[in-house]
C-alpha cells in the first residue's frame, strides 16, 4: 500500500472549516484514499473515502487532486467534538484484495473555542 | 443500528495468565479484522477473517496469539502466557465486501493491562 504523509498537528477555531492535508504521491490506480479519526480512548471512526472524484457526506468532504498524489479532508464547521487524531490511509480495496488498514501517525486536530 | 461490540472493555491480568477477548461484528458483515494499538501509536493490523476463514496473520501475531471466528459470526482473540509488552488496546473491525470497496467499522476496543 502507498504511504501517506500528514502534518503532525493542526489547530482550528470552532465554527471554522478544518482542512487536513495528506500526501500520497506513490498511490496506484486501484488504491482508495480513506479517512478515519480517533477520539481519545475510542476506536477509530470511519469518515469518508474516495478513488479519484471528490466526495461529500454528512461528516466531511474529500478533495482529491487530479493526479491523485494528495488529498484534503474538509470539516466544514468544526466543533470541539471534532478534536481527534485524523488518519489518512491508502488502501488496496475491493476484489480479492483485503482492505488491511496501515495507520500512520495521523494529524492531531485541536479545535479551540 | 448495532455497531461492532467488544467484550470486555478493560482487562487487567498478571503476567503469565491467559486472556480471551470477544468481538461481535455488525450483522451480515463477512470480514472481520483485529488490530492492536499501543500508547501514542496508530493501530497495527494483526489478523483478518473472511467468513470463518483466517486469511492473513501479521508477523506481530506471535505463537502466543490465536484468533478464531467460528461460523463466521463473532470472533475471539486469545493471548496465552501474557507478557507486559502485550499491554495495549485491542481493536476489532468488521466490513462487508460489496463491489469495489471494503469499509471497516471499528468497535470500542478492549484495553489490556498486564501487570
Amino acid at each position: 500500500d502507498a504511504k501517506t504523509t500528514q502534518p503532525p498537528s493542526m489547530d482550528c477555531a470552532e465554527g471554522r472549516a478544518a482542512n487536513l492535508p495528506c500526501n500520497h504521491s506513490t498511490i496506484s490506480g486501484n488504491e482508495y484514499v480513506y479517512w478515519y479519526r480517533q477520539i481519545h480512548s475510542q476506536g477509530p471512526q470511519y469518515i469518508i473515502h474516495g478513488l479519484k472524484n471528490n466526495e461529500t457526506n454528512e461528516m466531511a468532504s474529500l478533495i482529491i487532486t487530479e493526479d491523485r498524489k494528495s488529498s484534503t479532508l474538509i470539516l466544514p464547521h468544526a466543533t470541539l467534538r471534532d478534536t481527534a487524531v485524523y488518519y489518512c490511509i491508502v488502501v488496496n480495496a475491493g476484489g480479492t484484495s483485503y482492505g488491511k488498514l496501515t495507520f500512520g501517525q495521523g494529524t492531531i486536530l485541536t479545535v479551540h473555542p | 443500528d448495532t455497531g461492532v461490540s467488544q467484550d470486555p472493555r478493560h482487562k487487567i491480568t498478571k503476567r503469565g495468565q491467559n486472556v480471551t477477548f470477544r468481538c461481535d461484528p455488525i450483522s451480515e458483515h463477512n470480514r472481520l479484522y483485529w488490530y492492536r494499538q499501543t500508547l501514542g501509536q496508530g493501530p497495527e493490523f494483526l489478523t483478518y477473517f473472511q467468513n470463518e476463514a483466517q486469511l492473513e496473520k501479521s508477523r506481530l501475531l506471535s505463537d502466543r496469539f490465536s484468533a478464531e471466528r467460528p461460523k463466521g459470526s463473532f470472533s475471539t482473540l486469545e493471548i496465552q502466557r501474557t507478557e507486559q509488552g502485550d499491554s495495549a488496546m485491542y481493536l476489532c473491525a468488521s466490513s462487508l465486501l460489496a463491489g469495489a470497496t471494503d469499509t471497516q467499522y471499528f468497535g470500542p476496543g478492549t484495553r489490556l493491562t498486564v501487570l
Side-chain angles (χ1 to χ4, degrees):
Chain A
D1 290 341
K3 293 184 178 180
T4 62
T5 304
Q6 299 178 253
S9 63
M10 294 183 66
D11 288 336
C12 178
E14 190 176 20
R16 304 297 292 268
N19 297 281
L20 291 89
C22 179
N23 286 321
H24 31 79
S25 58
T26 60
I27 193 170
S28 61
N30 61 348
E31 290 181 319
Y32 286 73
V33 179
Y34 274 75
W35 284 83
Y36 282 80
R37 73 180 182 184
Q38 189 171 26
I39 297 169
H40 183 62
S41 296
Q42 298 182 20
Q45 178 187 23
Y46 165 75
I47 301 173
I48 198 167
H49 73 280
L51 183 62
K52 53 184 177 181
N53 297 321
N54 297 339
E55 302 288 344
T56 295
N57 63 20
E58 65 279 3
M59 288 183 66
S61 294
L62 174 60
I63 308 298
I64 302 174
T65 58
E66 191 170 346
D67 63 7
R68 302 211 321 126
K69 293 184 177 182
S70 66
S71 60
T72 301
L73 178 74
I74 301 173
L75 307 178
H77 305 287
T79 71
L80 298 178
R81 285 182 291 184
D82 291 322
T83 293
V85 181
Y86 287 77
Y87 296 100
C88 168
I89 305 169
V90 172
V91 181
N92 185 0
T96 57
S97 300
Y98 59 87
K100 179 179 75 174
L101 300 175
T102 301
F103 289 81
Q105 295 298 309
T107 295
I108 300 172
L109 175 68
T110 303
V111 181
H112 51 85
Chain B
D1 180 23
T2 303
V4 178
S5 62
Q6 293 187 245
D7 183 71
R9 296 291 307 278
H10 303 273
K11 178 70 176 179
I12 300 174
T13 191
K14 293 182 179 179
R15 189 176 53 185
Q17 298 294 306
N18 299 343
V19 294
T20 299
F21 310 140
R22 177 181 170 120
C23 171
D24 286 272
I26 293 172
S27 179
E28 306 301 325
H29 276 194
N30 54 4
R31 290 184 167 182
L32 189 148
Y33 299 78
W34 285 98
Y35 293 82
R36 180 174 69 185
Q37 185 173 26
T38 54
L39 203 60
Q41 303 297 315
E44 296 174 292
F45 169 80
L46 290 179
T47 189
Y48 141 80
F49 292 84
Q50 180 155 320
N51 299 314
E52 66 275 7
Q54 187 174 19
L55 297 186
E56 178 75 10
K57 292 193 293 186
S58 163
R59 56 184 171 81
L60 294 175
L61 211 66
S62 75
D63 292 343
R64 296 184 297 105
F65 288 71
S66 63
E68 294 182 342
R69 192 184 182 198
K71 303 178 183 179
S73 56
F74 72 91
S75 176
T76 58
L77 177 68
E78 180 183 17
I79 309 175
Q80 296 182 328
R81 304 181 304 282
T82 52
E83 302 173 355
Q84 287 186 327
D86 297 331
S87 294
M89 174 80 86
Y90 290 85
L91 294 159
C92 175
S94 71
S95 69
L96 175 64
L97 178 61
T101 57
D102 179 22
T103 300
Q104 295 176 40
Y105 296 90
F106 283 81
T110 294
R111 182 167 297 282
L112 172 67
T113 302
V114 182
L115 302 177

